[in-house]
Amino acid sequence: VQLVESGGGLVQPGGSLRLSCEASGITFSTYAMGWYRQAPGAQRELVADITSTGNTNYADSVKGRFTISRDNAKNTVYLQMNSLKPEDTAVYYCRARRILFYWGQGIQVTVSS
C-alpha cells in the first residue's frame, strides 16, 4: 500500500494550496480517506475526512476554508486549502481507513510572509 502526497509548499497568508494524495495497493473506493496535520511540538490532528460514500467532516479550525474531495477513478483524495493562516503551518498526512489504517509520508505546508 502506498499513499503519496503532493502539492505542499510555502504560501503567503491568505493564499491557497491544493494537496493531493494518490493511493495504490488498496481498493480506493471502499476506504474512508482523511487529511491530518502535525505542527512542531503538537499532536497529530484531524483536518478533514471523507467516507467512501462522500460524507465529509471538518475540524472547526478549517471549516469554511478547506474542502476535501475524492476522485475514485484516479484513486486520489484532495484537500483544497483557501484563506491560509500561519497557524495552518504543519506537516500534512493522508490516511486511508477501512479496517486497517495506512498513512502517507507527509508533506510540509508553510504559511508565512
Side-chain angles (χ1 to χ4, degrees), residues 2-107:
Q2 270 199 311
L3 301 176
V4 180
E5 299 103 335
S6 61
L10 173 65
V11 64
Q12 291 188 341
S16 298
L17 283 175
R18 188 176 82 154
L19 303 182
S20 301
C21 171
E22 183 174 1
S24 59
I26 58 173
T27 306
F28 180 80
S29 62
T30 68
Y31 277 71
M33 300 298 298
W35 287 97
Y36 289 71
R37 66 187 181 188
Q38 187 166 18
Q43 289 190 331
R44 193 172 296 189
E45 63 176 4
L46 173 70
V47 176
D49 59 20
I50 183 166
T51 67
S52 59
T53 57
N55 293 318
T56 59
N57 175 54
Y58 296 91
D60 287 344
S61 59
V62 307
K63 280 181 182 176
R65 300 188 297 123
F66 291 11
T67 303
I68 189 171
S69 61
R70 65 190 297 159
D71 184 338
N72 290 339
K74 295 182 178 180
N75 288 355
T76 300
V77 61
Y78 304 98
L79 185 68
Q80 178 66 43
M81 304 186 293
N82 298 328
S83 302
L84 282 159
K85 304 175 181 180
E87 52 263 44
D88 294 317
T89 295
V91 177
Y92 283 70
Y93 297 89
C94 173
R95 191 185 82 170
R97 173 180 61 84
R98 198 170 68 177
I99 298 173
L100 300 177
F101 297 87
Y102 301 101
W103 291 93
Q105 81 285 356
I107 192 164

